[in-house]
Amino acid sequence: MQDLDKEASYQSLLEARRVLDEFGNNCEIAEDIQLFNDKWLIVMKLKNNGNVTGDFPLITSWHVMIDIDYPMGEITFYPSKKEGIKSIYPHQSPHIEEENQYYYNSNICLEQYSPFLRNESYDIFKLYNYVSQALVWIKAASTNSLLRNGDLFEMVAYPTNSLQKQILFSEDKEKFLNWQDIQGKAGFCNFKSGSIQAGQHTSLFYLTDFYVGKSSYKNEKKIVSSYEWGDYVLKEKTEEKKGIWIKLKMMPLVEPWEAPRTWGQLISILKANDINFYQDVFSLLNELRDGLNHFMMLGFPIPKIVGESPAEYFWQGIELPKLSYARTDDKYFVGFRKNSVGYNYVDKRYVFNFNKYIKWIKSENWSTENLISRGGLSKDINQLNYLFIGVGSVGSGIVEAMVRMGVRKVDIVDPDVLQMGNLTRHELLANDLHHSKAKQMVDRISKSNIHYTGKSYNTHIEDFVQNFPEKISEYDVIIETTGENKVLELLGNLNLDAKVFSVSIGISAHRLYLYSSKSKSISIDTFLSTIHPWIDIDFDEFPLESFPRDGFGCWHPLFPARLDHVNLLCSTAVIIMETDLIDDKDHITIVERGELGTTKIIFRNEIV
């Protein structure tokens, strides 16, 4: 940062510092503005206007770090080691203690507790507003009211020092009820592992199965719960890893809101959950004596909303230390026999020593519900079984959108291969050229939704129906985007119970034509007689001689339509199909693209 800019920032911060005088004895500046590790630092003493206790004194000291470009950037509050709070509370990261540092790296999350700060204007009052909310946080923390009934539930922050390993599971309300009925306290579990892609350092470990009982690993009769991961996990994550699981009654924490740091703390928490670590767990650990690191998963019920009943299980991972085994060269083993008695004695005394730190592993719930929480189709829609006929520009846009929004089961039929000219308005890429569109789209969407499963068929729909006569009856929804009348005729003759959608666009993607019907009720004449007048208008608006041509030589017209216009109508088609599926009604719908990215329905008629 240039000295001139730094001076301007300093002057802004100096003015903001003077405004803090309005807090009176609620805020005292212990050490004024100074540079510290490329940030501005102010040491403040803030008054506790809540309950004064031995853990939470009347005056608390804070190291306030301010980005060098104030009033831009972040402001963070770290508790000082001297006269600061020693415990961890909700909306606060774990203590990370570094030598020769006068504060703990455990900032309080004022933005989460007071979301309006995220939209704070960049002026001198920014620091004042942060200090104001810090005083609110301190009062709430001292009175145990940081988590109020009705708030979104917050997990204890388990300190994970490395992002090189991550454990993933898939829990929802249905599985929560299943775990409520399982009587076992502990057992084995299985993982599939691998990195996201070649060259990346983060290894992902997907939990797949839970087994109950000693020596039950990989025994299908002992499975008590499993996750249905999609093709991306099952096909590409092939290395397996053994672990153990322990079911707790409550979230493991040290009051008020801190993750246990040592094995002594955790063993005491297990005891409070009626689990004897040495009796209930060690018999399982004896099956892991192979000189490798394994995972231990702690499962516990959590609510979605503070004050409400639990709604799902969370599985928090721990990387176990290497256990004693036949070829161990550990110094602890001097004088001990290498048998189960010796292993258990040494591990209890040294490996799981009460003062040894736990190695927590980052763990996340990658259930479908969680992954589409930012925006997805309804659960009932996503659970249906789909067949896509044709994945050109329209089909590829629709299937990609629907799978990303949570649809899990999709098969694709398309006889074509990808050509270079397709790339201007297709979801596939240059490395997919001259490959089957169906196969490459299945591969692509499997990477956009880890719960997706599906198959590709590089063939015409007529051959698919002939070669797989029983398969066609398995689909709940069939979406054809070929724009060919013979496809609708074929589907109408099959007399299926599936909901059929025909989706096509007019020239220049000016209009969308969408027909929804039960297969046995398809009326092609009704559909065509409705849309033909509009198709004629399409040709009048865009005469044949205006069509782009396919290179030089014999003139061959290409269908004109821009990618952004196609995608706009594809998005509209998804919304209409979702509505017709939910309402279970059949319609003919025509949508027209307007100016500045707008659309309007110019015809929508229910077919009774």
Side-chain angles (χ1 to χ4, degrees), residues 364-406:
E364 289 187 352
N365 185 2
W366 279 17
S367 68
T368 297
E369 181 181 355
N370 280 8
L371 293 181
I372 65 171
S373 60
R374 299 185 183 190
L377 299 171
S378 65
K379 182 177 180 179
D380 291 340
I381 300 298
N382 286 337
Q383 289 180 337
L384 299 175
N385 193 4
Y386 291 79
L387 173 66
F388 267 76
I389 304 173
V391 280
S393 58
V394 174
S396 67
I398 292 176
V399 72
E400 171 122 349
M402 294 183 70
V403 170
R404 284 184 180 274
M405 290 191 287

Side-chain angles (χ1 to χ4, degrees), residues 132-195:
S132 177
Q133 289 307 311
L135 290 167
V136 173
W137 186 95
I138 290 170
K139 180 179 180 179
S142 70
T143 56
N144 194 30
S145 57
L146 279 170
L147 294 178
R148 299 160 296 191
N149 286 346
D151 287 350
L152 292 175
F153 180 75
E154 177 183 301
M155 288 278 298
V156 164
Y158 295 93
T160 54
N161 296 326
S162 172
L163 296 179
Q164 293 183 350
K165 296 179 181 179
Q166 186 173 357
I167 296 174
L168 308 168
F169 57 94
S170 180
E171 289 286 340
D172 53 22
K173 181 68 173 179
E174 183 178 343
K175 289 198 172 295
F176 170 78
L177 297 175
N178 179 56
W179 279 111
Q180 295 292 87
D181 294 333
I182 294 173
Q183 300 300 316
K185 296 180 180 180
F188 292 104
C189 53
N190 186 50
F191 303 83
K192 279 188 174 291
S193 64
S195 59

Side-chain angles (χ1 to χ4, degrees), residues 299-580:
F300 45 90
I302 59 172
K304 291 184 178 298
I305 303 295
V306 176
E308 294 186 359
S309 299
E312 67 182 50
Y313 265 82
F314 191 91
W315 290 94
Q316 176 58 51
I318 294 174
E319 185 167 33
L320 292 169
K322 293 180 181 179
L323 303 173
S324 304
Y325 74 119
R327 294 198 299 273
T328 187
D329 57 357
D330 201 301
K331 63 181 181 180
Y332 301 142
F333 246 93
V334 176
F336 290 94
R337 290 184 180 275
K338 291 186 177 180
N339 56 26
S340 59
V341 176
Y343 297 149
N344 285 338
Y345 182 84
V346 170
D347 288 350
K348 288 176 183 179
R349 186 170 181 178
Y350 298 107
V351 176
F352 296 104
N353 182 281
F354 269 37
N355 294 320
K356 280 207 168 183
Y357 285 105
I358 297 168
K359 187 175 182 180
W360 297 100
I361 300 295
K362 183 177 177 61
S363 307
E364 289 187 352
N365 185 2
W366 279 17
S367 68
T368 297
E369 181 181 355
N370 280 8
L371 293 181
I372 65 171
S373 60
R374 299 185 183 190
L377 299 171
S378 65
K379 182 177 180 179
D380 291 340
I381 300 298
N382 286 337
Q383 289 180 337
L384 299 175
N385 193 4
Y386 291 79
L387 173 66
F388 267 76
I389 304 173
V391 280
S393 58
V394 174
S396 67
I398 292 176
V399 72
E400 171 122 349
M402 294 183 70
V403 170
R404 284 184 180 274
M405 290 191 287
V407 168
R408 300 197 299 273
K409 298 178 181 179
V410 179
D411 290 344
I412 296 176
V413 174
D414 192 312
D416 295 337
V417 298
L418 187 73
Q419 303 294 340
M420 178 58 78
N422 298 137
L423 295 183
T424 58
R425 55 176 189 234
H426 202 284
E427 299 299 328
L428 292 178
L429 307 173
N431 58 350
D432 299 309
L433 286 173
H434 310 305
H435 292 285
S436 160
K437 288 181 179 178
K439 181 180 183 302
Q440 299 306 107
M441 277 306 301
V442 163
D443 181 62
R444 177 179 174 86
I445 58 182
S446 72
K447 297 173 182 176
S448 66
N449 182 343
I450 60 167
H451 294 285
Y452 163 81
T453 59
K455 294 182 178 180
S456 63
Y457 299 89
N458 184 210
T459 185
H460 292 276
I461 183 61
E462 296 87 350
D463 295 330
F464 175 79
V465 171
Q466 182 176 351
N467 295 331
F468 305 96
E470 297 180 357
K471 182 72 175 176
I472 192 71
S473 62
E474 296 177 4
Y475 301 106
D476 303 303
V477 181
I478 300 175
I479 301 174
E480 77 86 15
T481 63
T482 64
E484 298 179 2
N485 297 341
K486 63 179 182 179
V487 175
L488 272 180
E489 291 177 0
L490 173 65
L491 296 175
N493 291 331
L494 294 176
N495 197 32
L496 304 174
D497 287 328
K499 185 84 165 186
V500 175
F501 291 96
S502 176
V503 186
S504 57
I505 59 175
I507 298 171
S508 194
H510 193 186
R511 295 180 184 89
L512 166 72
Y513 304 103
L514 198 152
Y515 177 39
S516 61
S517 174
K518 285 288 187 181
S519 174
K520 62 181 64 176
S521 305
I522 288 177
S523 174
I524 299 178
D525 291 339
T526 301
F527 178 51
L528 295 180
S529 63
T530 302
I531 68 172
H532 266 156
W534 296 99
I535 293 177
D536 291 339
I537 295 175
D538 284 339
F539 279 99
D540 290 339
E541 293 174 342
F542 207 107
L544 185 61
E545 59 270 17
S546 301
F547 277 53
R549 60 184 295 181
D550 187 12
F552 295 98
C554 181
W555 183 73
H556 180 74
L558 296 173
F559 187 86
R562 276 176 29 173
L563 173 64
D564 54 342
H565 296 161
V566 172
N567 285 348
L568 179 64
L569 295 182
C570 286
S571 299
T572 304
V574 172
I575 296 171
I576 294 171
M577 287 190 290
E578 181 184 26
T579 301
D580 287 356

